[in-house]
Amino acid sequence: MDNTLIEISDMHKIYNPGENEVRALDGVDLTICEREFVAIIGHSGSGKSTLMNMLGCLDVPTTGIYMLHGIDVSDMDDDELSDVRNREIGFIFQGFNLIQNLTAVENVTLPLIYRGVGKKEREQLALSALEKVGLAHRLDHKPAQMSGGQQQRVAIARAIAQAPPIILADEPTGNLDSNSTKEIMQILRELHSEGRTVILITHDNEIAEQADRVIKIRDGKIVSDTKQAVMPHQDSINQESTNQENTEQENIMEDKDNA
């Protein structure tokens, strides 16, 4: 068994304590090992977004323990949590969260500036990350010049540029069409195969079933935790030819735009 990466014990998150309190998390126990591909699924109001905030060190629990790499992060202050996030976690969000007046490569390098990475190194990291997600030909394009799938790939490149051990993806395909969804899920599978721990938050059963382990949450409680055998996907088998076709189509569209 792989080493334990995340261990949550009796975690509660209570909003408006008292008569009208809301128990967003209600006694959650959870262990995630290194190099797992985990999907956390639940409907709106189930507590999955609150759990994501805890896993991502974006918030702290009301009570309970969160051990990350053997370190208790449950009651860290904002600065300490920020350091943990920068070191451990790459975030991918449904809304992309790109800066509209920056190019793809500038969007990827910006967080590296805040982390104190030197100019030459951050440029190399950004170029490598964008190449990994198939956007080496879109370095100077701004978000408005790219499709939704391309914007999400920029967001993934930004998340993986400094090779964090954990990828935390919050509804990463929620704003995408079916073809772009396949591309993004393929990239997440490739990141997992490279040794990263991937934690996927979703409300979509079809998306969740592509993970190796599915955790269902309801009313702030984990109601099931299932490991499953994942069959090879046809889009994985033909991914190389698909990426080539997509690149050719994008280049044709770009040529038309420049005509």
Side-chain angles (χ1 to χ4, degrees), residues 186 232-241:
Q186 173 62 18
H233 294 265
Q234 188 64 36
D235 57 293
S236 302
I237 297 171
N238 297 322
Q239 186 62 30
E240 183 175 348
S241 60

Side-chain angles (χ1 to χ4, degrees), residues 80-128:
E80 291 171 323
L81 290 172
S82 179
D83 288 341
V84 172
R85 291 194 300 270
N86 285 336
R87 184 175 65 250
E88 300 282 352
I89 305 168
F91 292 92
I92 304 168
F93 297 102
Q94 178 177 351
F96 315 144
N97 291 358
L98 302 179
I99 297 177
Q100 294 299 310
N101 63 343
L102 297 183
T103 64
V105 71
E106 289 169 341
N107 266 287
V108 176
T109 56
L110 185 61
L112 300 176
I113 295 174
Y114 296 144
R115 294 173 187 172
V117 179
K119 181 178 180 181
K120 184 176 181 180
E121 183 182 358
R122 66 177 180 257
E123 289 178 349
Q124 291 174 340
L125 290 171
L127 291 173
S128 177

Side-chain angles (χ1 to χ4, degrees), residues 31-251:
T31 298
I32 296 175
C33 293
E34 293 178 350
R35 296 182 291 279
E36 279 199 280
F37 188 172
V38 180
I40 298 175
I41 186 169
H43 297 297
S44 178
S46 64
K48 69 180 187 299
S49 294
T50 302
L51 181 56
M52 184 211 71
N53 288 339
M54 301 299 157
L55 293 170
C57 296
L58 297 168
D59 199 357
V60 294
T62 305
T63 60
I65 301 297
Y66 177 16
M67 304 294 292
L68 177 60
H69 272 146
I71 298 173
D72 187 355
V73 300
S74 308
D75 57 357
M76 286 185 174
D77 61 30
D78 289 344
D79 289 340
E80 291 171 323
L81 290 172
S82 179
D83 288 341
V84 172
R85 291 194 300 270
N86 285 336
R87 184 175 65 250
E88 300 282 352
I89 305 168
F91 292 92
I92 304 168
F93 297 102
Q94 178 177 351
F96 315 144
N97 291 358
L98 302 179
I99 297 177
Q100 294 299 310
N101 63 343
L102 297 183
T103 64
V105 71
E106 289 169 341
N107 266 287
V108 176
T109 56
L110 185 61
L112 300 176
I113 295 174
Y114 296 144
R115 294 173 187 172
V117 179
K119 181 178 180 181
K120 184 176 181 180
E121 183 182 358
R122 66 177 180 257
E123 289 178 349
Q124 291 174 340
L125 290 171
L127 291 173
S128 177
L130 285 164
E131 183 176 359
K132 182 182 289 290
V133 299
L135 288 179
H137 63 298
R138 292 278 183 172
L139 302 179
D140 296 324
H141 286 70
K142 295 181 179 179
Q145 298 172 302
M146 294 183 283
S147 68
Q150 290 168 343
Q151 291 183 61
Q152 189 61 293
R153 281 190 272 161
V154 174
I156 292 174
R158 179 183 58 193
I160 67 174
Q162 209 171 11
I166 304 170
I167 300 297
L168 186 56
D170 181 22
E171 300 279 7
T173 61
N175 288 336
L176 304 179
D177 60 30
S178 59
N179 286 334
S180 295
T181 292
K182 290 179 181 178
E183 293 173 2
I184 298 308
M185 291 305 299
Q186 173 62 18
I187 291 172
L188 292 178
R189 285 192 291 271
E190 290 172 354
L191 292 171
H192 171 244
S193 70
E194 293 171 0
R196 291 183 177 87
T197 303
V198 178
I199 304 174
L200 172 66
I201 313 297
T202 184
H203 69 279
D204 188 325
N205 283 304
E206 290 186 5
I207 296 298
E209 288 170 357
Q210 297 182 52
D212 298 335
R213 178 180 171 196
V214 178
I215 298 167
K216 294 184 179 180
I217 186 169
R218 183 187 305 134
D219 298 329
K221 299 176 184 290
I222 291 177
V223 295
S224 69
D225 186 344
T226 307
K227 291 187 177 181
Q228 55 186 21
V230 180
M231 299 300 292
H233 294 265
Q234 188 64 36
D235 57 293
S236 302
I237 297 171
N238 297 322
Q239 186 62 30
E240 183 175 348
S241 60
T242 299
N243 283 342
Q244 182 177 355
E245 291 173 2
N246 288 339
T247 299
E248 291 173 353
Q249 291 174 357
E250 289 167 359
N251 288 337

